[in-house]
Structure formats: structure tokens, C-alpha cells
Amino acid sequence: MSKEIRVRMAPAPTGRFHIGTARTTLYNWLFARHHGGTFILRIEDTDQSRSSQENVRQIMDAIRWLGLDWDEGPEVDGPHAPYFQSQRLQLYRDAVDRLLAQGDAYPCYCAPVELEERRREMQRQGIPPRYDRRCRDLSQPDRERLEAEGRPRAIRFAVPDEGTTSWDDLVRGRVEFQDSELDDFVVMKSDGFPSYILACAVDDTEMAITHVLRGEDLISGTPRQIHVFRALGLPLPRFGHLPMILAPDRSKLSKRHGATGIDEYRARGFVPDAMVNFIALLGWSSGDDREILSRGEMIEAFSIEGIGKSGAVFDAEKLEWMNGVYLRQMSAEEYVARARPFLESALGSVAETFEDDYVARVVLLEQERAKTLAELPELTEFFFRDPEEYEDKGERRWFRQEGAGEVLAAVREALQALDRFDDAAIESAVRAAAEKLDTKAGPVIHTTRLATTGRTKGPGLFELLAVLGKERVLQRLERAEQYIRDLG
RNA sequence: GGCCCCAUCGUCCAGUGGUUAGGAUACCGGUCUUUCAAGCCGGAGACGGGGAUUCGAGUUCCCCUGGGGCUACCA
């Protein structure tokens, strides 16, 4: 019964691609995929001074990194190309001309500074700051005079004085605004570029968008847009306004709250699947208790009914947990491939000095411990460099113990004798050494760990030693023995 | 200030008139164990307030309170 579903994400390239934008993108994508519809990416670069190519690139990078592919849009094109509003100016001009011809819009010659001044004055008097419509009923001679003066002009939409504009919001139900609350909004700026309200309405129609899913911050623009659609005789899409993503203090998430850009999370070692899963659950629920959902499961379960109405605080701790889950369930190949860049940027080119296989075995040892890829360099540093010092706590507990040096010597001798240096062989050698020393295995293991890694925690000792390799292990043990002798 | 939206554990979600109000995270305890994690088991932790409707309200309605968004020639 329903025609093909077409949705779009229409970011303005005026800043980084942040969490909130990512979620809107994701919901649109899920909605399209769930219904076998089309997901379109459109760049709303109508703000000439703040848009940049660099931001466009970053936005597309981020969306691709998240794995949300668009069916129509920049670089993939489609039947409604171009997908940059800055390249569709004629369309908006035509629309504005029609509005003008119909008397639904009029030129406004007020300068921004004047507007600003009047706005302040209204605020001072405690009345709602709104455009006073002084250019709405300009006489023809006045217009010609202003025009002759070469005054810049914007085009404003003439909103009716009374009436109500309402729609059935997909997530909120009926929303209603009094037209008397609306002022005569700008539909085309003096630089000849359309305003968001107009461009968006025109494009949504031209691109045959059926559902507009966007942030709640745009809800008050909706009645204005509806006026534009109606004046132009265009069919209305369905609107759905998504709740905001909030900072821990429940205000709108912004830079001052720390990382908000998707690229920042990427740099911090989060993986796309975890990001997507986590963000999906910020304001949407499959209806059951599942927390970890694959993309397929999300697509399958996604519905607008499952979207909540209230704002959701972004809980970075839960994201970390979820990222850990994804890291742990990731295939060894993918995990290693994703981990490697983080090691190299932090530790220099480990690839030059260490075999690929060694690096892979190292990071694999930490797969179940890491919450983010970014903590890998710190976690695995001792695999690439000899420990320069020993943790204080460990030193007091193990190295200053009577006979610590003998313990290490015994372990070293036992390991020295090994031909095969693998987990099992190491384990039995170490345990045998402990037995010979007539002590429990625990203290021997801890002392050995400290001697070979400088730390009190980390991967299982036997696996760790096996990866480190016999030569390095023996060397480090010897050094530690010397260190202990020097302690006196 | 005006308009619009929202309101269940600290946080994210279930719960669509009858539930010991459920799960996840974070926190605490236990267990496993060579450490740290992970896992497993357990604990603590919420319906903002007041009316109304009803035999019965977290669930419906109204008011209050609280929070948020918008209030640009930005989107």
C-alpha cells in the first residue's frame, strides 16, 4: 500500500559531525533499510560563510566509518543530483519567484544591524522579539526607491495573521502552533542563497522524501516549512522529531562537555559497531531487553514506535563497556588490524622493529581487557620496551621479600632449560621451580611477572612469557635479579 | 519573557489499568583465578508533587513543579 520510503540526512557542513547528527543519520538509515527504502545524503551548504569542503569531507568520512551507506548523494549521485544545495540554487530561486508572484513573500530591505537593534528594543520592553513586518506593506514607489538605492534585500514569507498549523508528528503525535506566533521568516537571504526553511522544503519535495526524521531542535521550524509547502502546492512529507541527546547536566550536548565529534570517538579507540549499537539505544528500544544488537538485528527490529520522547543523556561509561564487548567478540584478524594503527601512532613504528606476527600476538593478549583500542599502547608497552622501573607496590610486596632473587634465579634456570617456549612448557617449568623452592606458585608467578613486565597486572603470566620470547625473558630476569641485589 | 516538547533506579531502556515495577550500565559484595580484566551469582537503587476518573493508576485527564529546545538574512 505504501509507496517507496525515501528518507534523507541533510547535515550542514558548518562543523564537526557529532553524536546527535550521527544518531539522526542512523535512525534514518535504519528506517530506510528496515523498509527496503532509499537513504539519501544531502549537503545543506547554504551558509556560505560557515560551510567548508573540509567539513563535507569529514561528515562523509564519519558516516562511512559508521558503516551507514547512502543510496543517493555526494559521490554516489542519483536521479536527483546534485546533492549539494549550493549547486541547486536555481530551484530555490524559482520557488521564491513563485512565492513572490503569488504574494506569499515579499522583499525586505531591513539591514541586519537595524533588525538586531529593534530586536533588542523589543526584548527590553518585554515583548516577544519578532520581525515587525515593516517591509510587508511597502508601497510600490517605496520599493522602487529602496531598490534604486541598491539596498540589499532578503525575501520574507508572509505568514497569515491567524490560523493554526499542525501536523501528526511520527514520534510526538499532534503538534500545533498558532500562526500568530510565527514571524515573517526569511526565505531567501540577501546573498541570493535560500534559507534552510525554504531549501529544505523544496528539496524534500524534489527528492520525493516521504519521511523527515530530524532532531527536536528543528521542531519549531516545522510550521514555517509547512507554510512553504502549502504555498507552493507541494505534498507534505511525514515529520518525526527525535529527542535530543543530552550532556550529563541534561543540557544540549556541546563541545564544553568534552568529546562530541564522531571523529573524536574514533580517535579514542571506539569501533563503529559499538558506536552504532550504543547510539541506536539512545532514544530507541527494540522493545525487549536486548542491549547488544547486530546491524541486521537493529534493521529488523527498528520502528518509529520504538523511539522515545524524552531526551537521553549520553553515558560515556556505558559506551566504554559496550565497546569492550565488541572488542572481545571481534575476530582476531579485524581486531589486530584495528589495533595496529593505535600502536604505531603511540609507540612509533613498531612494524619496523617487530614482526607482524609478534605484534598480533601481543594485542591479542589484551583483547579481553581493553575497553578501547587507544589504551592498547599503554597496556602492551612492555612488550616493545624493557621495563624501566618496577611498580612500587609490587616492588615492596615481591622484590623486597626475603629470597626474591633466588626465586627469579630458579625461574630463569628452569626456563633456560626449555626447548619449546610455549604456554604449557613455561607453566610446568615455573610450577616445578616453585616446588623445588618449596613455595607456592602464586608468589613465584607474581615476582616473575614484576621482573619481566615491571607491573603487577596484565595477561596470564605463561602466555605473556611465551609471546615475549625466551631470550627477552631471560634477559629481563637477570636484570631484575641484579636490581634486587642492588636494593641491598 | 513567549512558544513548543518532555518527565520510571545516578544514567540508558522495558512496562500501553490489576507486576514482589523488569533489563543494561555504573556502584557494592561473593565466586572463579597467578594478577588485572572478563564470566557467573547476589545486593543496594526509581514511578517529581497534587487533584480527577476508576473497584483498582507508573500507565488516562487536569494543574503545579522541574528539565530541555526554539525564539538569526545558522541550519
Side-chain angles (χ1 to χ4, degrees):
Chain A
M1 85 164 236
S2 65
K3 55 181 175 174
E4 193 210 0
I5 282 178
R6 292 175 59 85
V7 293
R8 87 310 195 266
M9 179 60 202
T14 52
R16 266 204 321 308
F17 191 76
H18 57 84
I19 303 285
T21 328
R23 192 192 51 174
T24 305
T25 309
L26 175 60
Y27 284 15
N28 275 286
W29 182 84
L30 286 170
F31 186 63
R33 295 292 172 261
H34 177 86
H35 292 285
T38 303
F39 174 60
I40 296 151
L41 178 63
R42 179 175 77 222
I43 305 295
E44 306 217 323
D45 53 351
T46 53
D47 183 339
Q48 293 194 77
S49 60
R50 295 195 298 163
S51 298
S52 78
Q53 261 313 303
E54 171 56 18
N55 285 331
V56 171
R57 196 189 56 72
Q58 272 210 32
I59 286 168
M60 295 199 296
D61 263 12
I63 299 177
R64 286 203 170 107
W65 180 73
L66 289 171
L68 308 178
D69 55 318
W70 54 95
D71 307 306
E72 292 177 27
E75 294 178 7
V76 308
D77 271 347
H80 301 275
Y83 292 90
F84 288 85
Q85 291 190 325
S86 60
Q87 295 167 22
R88 303 167 63 80
L89 264 21
Q90 196 53 50
L91 239 32
Y92 315 127
R93 286 181 185 147
D94 292 347
V96 170
D97 285 345
R98 277 188 54 203
L99 257 18
L100 247 13
Q102 291 168 191
D104 285 315
Y106 60 92
C108 167
Y109 301 90
C110 300
V113 282
E114 298 169 352
L115 256 16
E116 176 61 28
E117 206 168 294
R118 278 182 247 155
R119 196 168 11 230
R120 268 204 304 273
E121 174 61 17
M122 283 184 273
Q123 258 161 349
R124 202 182 56 73
Q125 292 179 23
I127 50 178
R130 269 209 295 269
Y131 176 61
D132 59 14
R133 297 180 168 172
R134 68 174 60 189
C135 294
R136 185 156 168 173
D137 300 310
L138 245 32
S139 66
Q140 198 50 35
D142 282 343
R143 258 179 208 163
E144 279 161 18
R145 183 175 49 78
L146 263 4
E147 205 66 48
E149 283 175 15
R151 299 259 308 217
R153 42 164 244 188
I155 309 296
R156 287 183 185 271
F157 189 91
V159 177
D161 294 326
E162 49 189 46
T164 62
T165 302
S166 61
W167 72 95
D168 287 310
D169 196 275
L170 262 6
V171 345
R172 265 149 239 281
R174 192 147 200 88
V175 181
E176 197 173 87
F177 283 81
Q178 297 302 314
D179 290 338
S180 56
E181 298 293 338
L182 272 31
D183 61 0
D184 285 356
F185 54 93
V186 168
V187 98
M188 181 160 284
K189 300 176 275 185
S190 55
D191 65 0
F193 273 56
S195 70
Y196 154 75
I197 303 276
L198 180 98
C200 189
V202 168
D203 282 344
D204 283 344
T205 300
E206 200 279 333
M207 295 181 180
I209 300 302
T210 55
H211 301 256
V212 172
L213 259 31
R214 57 175 20 163
E216 190 190 350
D217 50 338
L218 297 172
I219 203 166
S220 55
T222 306
R224 292 166 236 266
Q225 238 157 33
I226 289 176
H227 274 112
V228 172
F229 277 108
R230 291 222 257 254
L232 259 15
L234 304 173
L236 251 43
R238 302 291 311 270
F239 293 98
H241 290 89
L242 275 18
M244 305 265 71
I245 294 181
L246 276 22
D249 67 359
R250 302 205 76 87
S251 68
K252 193 178 181 179
L253 195 62
S254 72
K255 287 127 307 223
R256 76 189 158 88
H257 301 294
T260 53
I262 291 297
D263 54 338
E264 293 171 82
Y265 285 90
R266 181 182 185 174
R268 289 179 179 207
F270 290 88
V271 296
D273 284 352
M275 269 331 267
V276 164
N277 192 155
F278 180 72
I279 288 174
L281 263 25
L282 233 40
W284 170 77
S285 159
S286 62
D288 52 43
D289 284 336
R290 285 180 295 173
E291 298 277 336
I292 304 294
L293 289 94
S294 69
R295 278 165 206 263
E297 288 168 329
M298 279 187 268
I299 289 170
E300 162 81 35
F302 190 80
S303 76
I304 289 180
E305 291 70 48
I307 299 175
K309 298 188 204 328
S310 52
V313 171
F314 184 83
D315 181 2
E317 277 182 335
K318 187 162 180 178
L319 205 213
E320 289 208 351
W321 161 76
M322 192 171 280
N323 201 60
V325 171
Y326 274 88
L327 251 24
R328 272 175 259 129
Q329 71 179 28
M330 191 175 279
S331 74
E333 300 70 39
E334 184 184 354
Y335 169 77
V336 170
R338 287 189 185 278
R340 195 167 189 106
F342 284 86
L343 284 184
E344 294 186 348
S345 71
L347 299 172
S349 184
V350 295
E352 280 177 21
T353 24
F354 297 91
E355 306 264 322
D356 283 4
D357 181 56
Y358 181 73
V359 176
R361 291 174 74 199
V362 167
V363 293
L364 251 8
L365 277 187
E366 290 291 357
Q367 185 169 9
E368 58 183 37
R369 243 168 303 271
K371 281 191 157 64
T372 68
L373 263 9
E375 56 197 47
L376 251 20
E378 148 69 16
L379 250 20
T380 63
E381 193 186 8
F382 63 84
F383 282 102
F384 304 106
R385 290 187 193 132
D386 288 339
E388 278 163 27
E389 50 190 20
Y390 303 100
E391 262 180 43
D392 281 350
K393 197 179 67 184
E395 182 177 314
R396 280 196 302 275
R397 181 96 166 81
W398 307 113
F399 281 5
R400 291 184 185 276
Q401 206 60 224
E402 190 59 38
E406 287 70 45
V407 167
L408 292 181
V411 170
R412 182 165 49 80
E413 277 161 36
L415 294 177
Q416 182 118 49
L418 257 30
D419 295 327
R420 262 199 5 261
F421 205 69
D422 61 19
D423 299 8
I426 293 168
E427 173 157 13
S428 45
V430 171
R431 291 196 189 279
E435 216 162 299
K436 222 164 104 189
L437 290 163
D438 201 25
T439 50
K440 284 198 174 143
V444 174
I445 288 169
H446 292 128
T447 309
T448 305
R449 172 189 300 283
L450 185 64
T452 51
T453 70
R455 305 181 182 196
T456 57
K457 35 186 178 177
L461 181 73
F462 313 125
E463 301 95 293
L464 167 179
L465 294 182
V467 170
L468 225 30
K470 187 171 174 181
E471 196 183 334
R472 237 181 250 119
V473 168
L474 296 179
Q475 246 173 38
R476 289 184 186 185
L477 286 171
E478 222 165 330
R479 265 189 55 191
E481 287 168 47
Q482 183 59 47
Y483 181 85
I484 289 170
R485 277 194 291 278
D486 292 346
L487 281 176

